[in-house]
Amino acid sequence: MGHVVKNERMHTSRRGLLWGAAGGAVAAAGLGLCPHRASAREAQVADAPESDKARSSVPFSGKHQAGIVTPRPAAGMIAAFDVLAKSPEEVERLFRVLTERCRFLAEGGTVPELDPKLPPADSGILGPVIAPDSLTVTVSLGASFFHDREWLAPLKPARLQRMTKFRNDALNADLCHGDLSLQICANTPDATIHALRDVIKSLPDLMVIRWKQEGTVPILPPRPDGASESARNLLGFRDGSANPNSGDATEMERVVWVGADDGTEPRWTADGTYQAVRIIRNFVERWDRTPLAEQERIVGRRKASGAPFDGKTESDVPDFGRDPDGATTAMDSHIRLANPRNHGSEANLILRRPFNYSNGVTKNGQLDQGLLFIAYQADLEAGFITVQKRLDGEPLEEYIKPVGGGYFFTLPGVRDAQDFLGRSLLEAAAARS
């Protein structure tokens, strides 16, 4: 699968905590940051934080792209682009250059030195030697990528479509859709920003950025009992409690990956997946003034533990069959609408991979915070779209407002050093000509 992370241990403590850096305080327990240095020199306020995970890398090659079932790191980003490449030759160059840059960024290495009279080969924000920092770049295509190229239109994935508005949406056109999306994830935001700038610098004539949204995941110290927990969103509840098991290859084949024997999809899509992205603003001031009991009733879980009302731990599965009238878990609670756990609802499972975002302050003096929702599924219509239709009108909508996003198809992975992203699509197009 190509998702095992390898670590080269540096001289810092894995469980170290570092608070503070030039320009702001950074909570970094999960990054292995530590204020102690190997040298005898006393640490200074402007010294760079150190991490024993900076050299960690996620294998780039595999039948599926990395960054989907790969364990989620602390920083993530979605960047959507308008693609200028039109001809088969231009599109192939786009895919080949993207593959080359994504591979280098994922593996790390020394930046080449160029003539000082020329622009440097790299932005330099990570220094002359790029540490991989567990970075993954996941490439996906929007419906417009196929619609705007007649030679590719017959090969559009069967369920790929332009994202449409639901009743509670307030979609900003400047934050929606795109020909191509990059999901960039790493241990630190600097690594994701560096990767984005690298791609933009490498392909100025073939694609132009349309919108982006950065996010983070709260970092938790290891539990004494070794158990793992889902991260919390900015409403304070755990997000991902009922996710399917991303480590179960059989489950992922059913829920996430398009199969080679799927008779409804073009054959080139095998081992790819559908990506649903939503930028969902949270009205945190209103939420913070809502009684705890009402918050829990709306979500359907205990806020502190993440447990369902009929359970004790986050991992306990709610038994809606023993609560047919919603006496324990309200019928319109978020978890019950999203996954009613009835006959047939397993066909609607999705793999969520969200990040929290904070964009500053709005003109009316409210915090612009929310969720960069990302989900993967083998069938976009049976997955996200069906789930979202069930959630349409839920009580939680009083506190949230989707403002952007889009639907994309994530390309199959790169099998070896000679392969490149989008190869199966271009071969299918060539066979039709």
Side-chain angles (χ1 to χ4, degrees):
M1 297 287 289
H3 300 123
V4 177
V5 178
K6 57 184 180 182
N7 294 289
E8 296 179 26
R9 188 169 181 84
M10 294 172 66
H11 57 265
T12 59
S13 167
R14 179 170 298 277
R15 297 189 181 182
L17 291 175
L18 173 63
W19 284 86
V26 180
L31 298 181
L33 301 180
C34 180
H36 303 295
R37 305 179 66 88
S39 66
R41 183 179 71 87
E42 183 179 355
Q44 297 297 307
V45 66
D47 287 351
E50 297 176 350
S51 170
D52 64 356
K53 291 189 175 181
R55 294 178 183 169
S56 301
S57 64
V58 178
F60 179 74
S61 298
K63 64 185 294 189
H64 311 297
Q65 286 195 68
I68 301 169
V69 300
T70 309
R72 184 180 49 172
M77 172 196 298
I78 290 285
F81 292 80
D82 293 323
V83 173
L84 307 179
K86 295 295 184 182
S87 68
E89 294 76 19
E90 289 176 330
V91 171
E92 180 173 342
R93 179 160 66 91
L94 168 71
F95 286 155
R96 286 187 179 274
V97 174
L98 262 180
T99 303
E100 173 194 343
R101 297 319 304 160
C102 294
R103 186 190 300 276
F104 171 78
L105 294 165
E107 295 176 352
T110 302
V111 175
E113 294 185 16
L114 304 180
D115 187 326
K117 295 178 182 178
L118 299 174
D122 185 81
S123 63
I125 63 176
L126 297 184
V129 180
I130 307 303
D133 206 26
S134 301
L135 184 127
T136 60
V137 184
T138 309
V139 181
S140 309
L141 303 178
S144 56
F145 184 87
F146 297 89
H147 292 159
D148 295 344
R149 293 157 185 82
E150 291 184 3
W151 56 282
L152 286 178
L155 295 169
K156 183 176 72 70
R159 297 167 181 86
L160 184 59
Q161 57 196 271
R162 184 180 175 88
M163 185 181 70
T164 56
K165 181 178 182 294
F166 293 92
R167 286 190 299 172
N168 188 49
D169 292 357
L171 300 179
N172 178 348
D174 293 336
L175 296 175
C176 293
H177 317 305
D179 296 331
L180 181 148
S181 79
L182 299 181
Q183 178 199 262
I184 309 175
C185 303
N187 292 326
T188 59
D190 299 84
T192 64
I193 294 169
H194 171 266
L196 177 64
R197 287 175 57 178
D198 184 290
V199 169
I200 291 174
K201 175 181 171 62
S202 301
L203 292 162
D205 62 326
L206 296 181
M207 63 183 198
V208 177
I209 192 166
R210 180 182 178 91
W211 57 267
K212 77 172 177 69
Q213 179 60 63
E214 299 176 49
T216 58
V217 177
I219 300 167
L220 300 175
R223 284 183 47 160
D225 60 3
S228 298
E229 301 172 305
S230 299
R232 296 181 186 271
N233 57 34
L234 292 182
L235 299 181
F237 281 80
R238 299 195 183 281
D239 200 320
S241 302
N243 240 6
N245 182 0
S246 60
D248 185 334
T250 301
E251 180 81 342
M252 292 299 95
E253 290 291 344
R254 184 178 69 84
V255 174
V256 174
W257 308 120
V258 173
D261 57 351
D262 188 320
T264 63
E265 293 285 359
R267 292 185 62 83
W268 74 265
T269 62
D271 299 326
T273 183
Y274 286 92
Q275 179 192 70
V277 178
R278 301 271 280 176
I279 303 173
I280 305 173
R281 186 176 168 206
N282 296 165
F283 299 125
V284 294
E285 292 90 350
R286 185 185 304 170
W287 182 255
D288 289 344
R289 297 185 181 100
T290 300
L292 174 61
E294 177 65 7
Q295 291 185 6
E296 293 183 333
R297 192 203 73 80
I298 290 171
V299 173
R301 290 184 180 274
R302 299 297 183 191
K303 191 169 187 178
S305 65
F309 293 136
D310 57 354
K312 295 182 179 180
T313 68
E314 179 190 358
S315 60
D316 290 339
V317 178
D319 188 350
F320 297 147
R322 299 184 63 180
D323 182 29
D325 300 320
T328 302
T329 305
M331 302 299 289
D332 61 358
S333 65
H334 182 78
I335 70 165
R336 192 156 189 168
L337 290 173
N339 186 0
R341 301 181 184 277
N342 55 23
H343 178 70
S345 63
E346 281 204 351
N348 312 129
L349 292 178
I350 60 178
L351 184 70
R352 289 168 288 158
R353 206 170 191 272
F355 294 86
N356 299 326
Y357 76 81
S358 183
N359 288 344
V361 181
T362 65
K363 291 182 179 180
N364 63 354
Q366 292 185 327
L367 297 173
D368 185 358
Q369 298 182 339
L371 189 71
L372 173 57
F373 175 92
I374 307 169
Y376 294 96
Q377 56 265 286
D379 185 329
L380 180 64
E381 293 175 352
F384 173 79
I385 293 175
T386 295
V387 171
Q388 188 58 41
K389 286 178 178 178
R390 284 202 297 256
L391 293 170
D392 195 14
E394 66 170 325
L396 185 60
E397 288 184 348
E398 182 181 348
Y399 304 92
I400 64 174
K401 183 69 67 174
V403 297
Y407 301 150
F408 303 89
F409 185 81
T410 304
L411 295 169
V414 173
R415 300 301 182 105
D416 52 42
Q418 285 69 49
D419 199 4
F420 63 93
L421 292 164
R423 174 192 52 77
S424 61
L425 170 59
L426 294 183
E427 287 180 350
R432 291 180 56 88
S433 61

